[in-house]
Amino acid sequence: MRKYPIVRRRRTLLGAVTFAVFVGSIGGVVALPASPAAGADCSQTSVGFTPLTDSVGLYDASNATPESHAAAAPSIEPIDGVVGVASLGMSNAKQEWAAFMSTASGMEAISPSVRLANGAVGGKTMSEWSDPNDPAWNVALDRINADGLSPTQVQIIWMKMGSQLGQLAGTTAERVEQERVWLEETIANAKVVFPNLKRVYMSSRIYAGYNSNPNHNEPETGFDNGLSVRAVASDALVGKSAVWTAWGPYLWADGTTPRSDGVTWECSDYESDGIHPSVTGEQKVVDLLVSFFTGDVTACEWFLANEQDCGAEISPPCSGGTCSDGGRFVDVPATNIFFADIEWLADAGITKGCNPPDNTKFCPDAPVKRGQMAAFIDRALDLPAGPDVFSDVSDSVFLSNINALAAAGITKGCNPPDNDRFCPDEVVSRGQMAAFIARALGLTSAGVNTFVDDDTSIFESDIEALAASGITKGCNPPDNDRFCPEASVTRAQMAAFLHRAEPWLYP
């Protein structure tokens, strides 16, 4: 039974906390594929491998951190009153750590010194993290700073990294060895970036069998990734690591075949691409993270306010007045047809709400304005910063988002041919929305003609590109032969558009 209710993730800070870093999101350059990852194949419920926890053990014939290694863990003391904990990894790690941060924000048992931050970058593999000059490190630093931590406050990192291991040459042993090298180089880089880094906790990937993309297959993607982490942990036991390193929670299970502790991975635990976790999948990872940080002897000593609670059941109050049967926004009930889309948008960190600083509401029926649109797209793509371009945005809270869109070529302005203004407070039409998304994702229409009411629209090609990709269905269900290009876009509709675009956002 779960020890605590589901709390939807949100980008909030805990009190002062020892900093642990988690990596897993896109670097400073926007590099999106021409097509999304392959869809899920829900028939692949097992690959016939036994989880490490039920076979050889996470360490040598054991799943527990050896006593001598636990005793060697460097002490953790607050820096400027803060114990900083951050994540590093790819998009899955980014999603899962964000969900964990949300849950942790409602747990009174956590030490008031602990502060969590999300440094994961979507689309970045461990081979890229192993390069100290890769832009992912700057992106991670920006995100960690935005979550209220400085590099010097980060003492703890949760690291979950992946690679396209199935595409590497050589035997399984040779590919695992390559991942071991990349992971240990990444840890060494992290020690330079975060000079006070004391501990790294590593997790391997979740089950990847439902994905039909050869870049993310089993056993290479999930199961073998655990072998790579195990190799790093073994090296750490004998001092072959730049930082004290140990296993965090082990996440892999053989699909619907329960492992000894009952963990399984259902197809419903994944988004439509079969590789990224859905809300239920994220919650499974959160359950395992909470269990680890509140039960492992090397973690609960700094994570919990009272170390004597180590291993005890933790029952935080429902965050924001909502529990597992409700969402994070008080104005979006579970009966709202866009409920899942809005929850996804919040979980991905793309929206914070519409009533700062409380942000308890989403305002689903409010129209999207151009400044807000810039923020949605910038947060979704992790765009690099850009210079000031427009004359009418200096006072806008979305200035940095607007500049990022302009630098990426996603927006040209609102007053052609001069285009020296952006009009941040103007409402976005559905046609304009199509242009923003098509440019951002590099979509093309492939000559389709889906709608009867966009033939005279300057945005016809963008609209048809969204239709061809499945991001839009139309505006007049069930026929859906019209797009309504001049109609305004509501915030709830925008959540749906971006949710359907997830395979392009997080390939």
Side-chain angles (χ1 to χ4, degrees):
M1 180 178 296
R2 179 177 288 115
K3 301 177 183 177
Y4 48 89
I6 294 175
V7 181
R8 303 294 180 182
R9 78 167 173 261
R10 62 174 183 268
R11 294 175 62 88
T12 59
L13 304 180
L14 301 179
V17 180
T18 300
F19 198 80
V21 179
F22 177 103
V23 178
S25 62
I26 294 175
V29 178
V30 179
L32 295 169
S35 59
D41 179 355
C42 292
S43 68
Q44 301 181 47
T45 58
S46 172
V47 291
F49 283 73
T50 303
L52 298 183
T53 48
D54 295 347
S55 55
V56 296
L58 301 182
Y59 299 93
D60 293 335
S62 172
N63 292 323
T65 306
E67 291 185 5
S68 59
H69 192 54
S75 62
I76 301 295
E77 298 294 337
I79 297 174
D80 299 327
V82 169
V83 172
V85 183
S87 66
L88 292 179
M90 67 300 198
S91 53
N92 283 40
K94 177 184 176 183
Q95 292 178 230
E96 294 154 357
W97 191 254
F100 174 67
M101 287 174 63
S102 178
T103 292
S105 68
M107 296 175 61
E108 295 180 355
I110 294 178
S111 168
S113 298
V114 171
R115 184 175 298 162
L116 305 181
N118 199 340
V121 181
K124 283 294 182 178
T125 64
M126 63 178 72
S127 63
E128 293 167 291
W129 286 107
S130 70
D131 178 358
N133 298 314
D134 192 273
W137 291 102
N138 288 331
V139 176
L141 282 172
D142 288 344
R143 292 181 175 177
I144 289 167
N145 285 327
D147 280 339
L149 284 172
S150 69
T152 58
Q153 290 174 316
V154 177
Q155 297 187 61
I156 301 156
I157 287 176
W158 177 65
M159 196 167 88
K160 176 187 172 184
M161 301 225 167
S163 72
Q164 294 181 345
L165 189 144
Q167 304 303 299
L168 299 179
T171 65
T172 297
E174 290 170 337
R175 293 194 297 256
V176 167
E177 170 62 13
Q178 177 62 81
E179 281 203 346
R180 181 196 66 78
V181 171
W182 283 334
L183 290 169
E184 292 185 0
E185 289 174 344
T186 299
I187 292 171
N189 293 341
K191 178 60 178 174
V192 175
V193 174
F194 308 106
N196 293 318
L197 180 61
K198 300 288 185 62
R199 305 185 189 184
V200 173
Y201 293 100
M202 301 189 67
S203 292
S204 56
R205 297 188 64 139
I206 63 177
Y207 180 70
Y210 296 117
N211 188 269
S212 54
N213 185 330
N215 290 337
H216 299 294
N217 52 10
E218 283 289 3
E220 292 86 357
T221 294
F223 180 82
D224 289 352
N225 183 244
L227 298 177
S228 304
V229 173
R230 189 176 188 272
V232 174
S234 295
D235 279 354
L237 294 182
V238 293
K240 295 181 180 179
S241 180
V243 180
W244 184 92
T245 299
W247 270 98
Y250 178 67
L251 307 179
W252 195 86
D254 190 19
T256 58
T257 303
R259 67 189 198 189
S260 59
D261 59 359
V263 173
T264 61
W265 288 101
E266 310 285 340
C267 196
S268 59
D269 293 325
Y270 297 80
E271 297 286 356
S272 60
D273 62 2
I275 194 70
H276 292 93
S278 65
V279 171
T280 60
E282 292 167 6
Q283 192 61 46
K284 285 188 175 183
V285 176
V286 169
D287 291 346
L288 293 168
L289 283 167
V290 170
S291 179
F292 176 81
F293 284 118
T294 62
D296 183 86
V297 294
T298 71
C300 57
E301 62 183 8
W302 54 263
F303 187 74
L304 294 175
N306 187 349
E307 188 178 345
Q308 294 179 345
D309 290 337
C310 190
E313 290 192 357
I314 305 298
S315 301
C318 297
S319 176
T322 62
C323 294
S324 59
D325 58 347
R328 55 167 290 141
F329 299 114
V330 298
D331 59 346
V332 185
T335 53
N336 189 301
I337 62 172
F338 298 109
F339 175 81
D341 302 308
I342 294 169
E343 287 293 297
W344 175 87
L345 202 72
D347 284 348
I350 298 173
T351 185
K352 300 176 182 178
C354 68
N355 60 325
D358 295 335
N359 282 324
T360 57
K361 301 175 66 179
F362 181 73
C363 305
D365 297 322
V368 176
K369 297 182 179 179
R370 288 172 60 86
Q372 295 168 337
M373 174 66 75
F376 282 140
I377 293 178
D378 183 21
R379 293 171 191 158
L381 293 180
D382 299 316
L383 296 172
D388 291 344
V389 176
F390 304 110
S391 62
D392 61 343
V393 297
S394 60
D395 296 330
S396 174
V397 296
F398 304 113
L399 173 63
S400 63
N401 308 119
I402 295 167
N403 288 342
L405 254 65
I410 298 172
T411 184
K412 300 176 182 177
C414 67
N415 60 325
D418 294 337
N419 281 326
D420 58 355
R421 301 175 65 243
F422 182 74
C423 306
D425 296 321
E426 285 190 2
V427 172
V428 177
S429 71
R430 288 170 59 89
Q432 292 168 336
M433 174 278 302
F436 277 122
I437 294 181
R439 291 176 195 153
L441 303 183
L443 304 176
T444 59
S445 63
V448 301
N449 188 13
T450 308
F451 305 112
V452 299
D453 63 343
D454 66 346
D455 293 344
T456 61
S457 173
I458 61 173
F459 304 113
E460 181 182 14
S461 62
D462 302 307
I463 294 167
E464 297 297 349
L466 260 63
S469 67
I471 294 174
T472 186
K473 299 177 182 179
C475 67
N476 60 324
D479 294 337
N480 281 326
D481 58 355
R482 300 176 64 242
F483 182 75
C484 306
E486 302 302 324
S488 60
V489 182
T490 68
R491 289 170 57 86
Q493 291 167 344
M494 194 64 216
F497 285 127
L498 289 174
H499 192 184
R500 293 174 195 146
E502 182 181 15
W504 283 270
L505 295 173
Y506 308 118

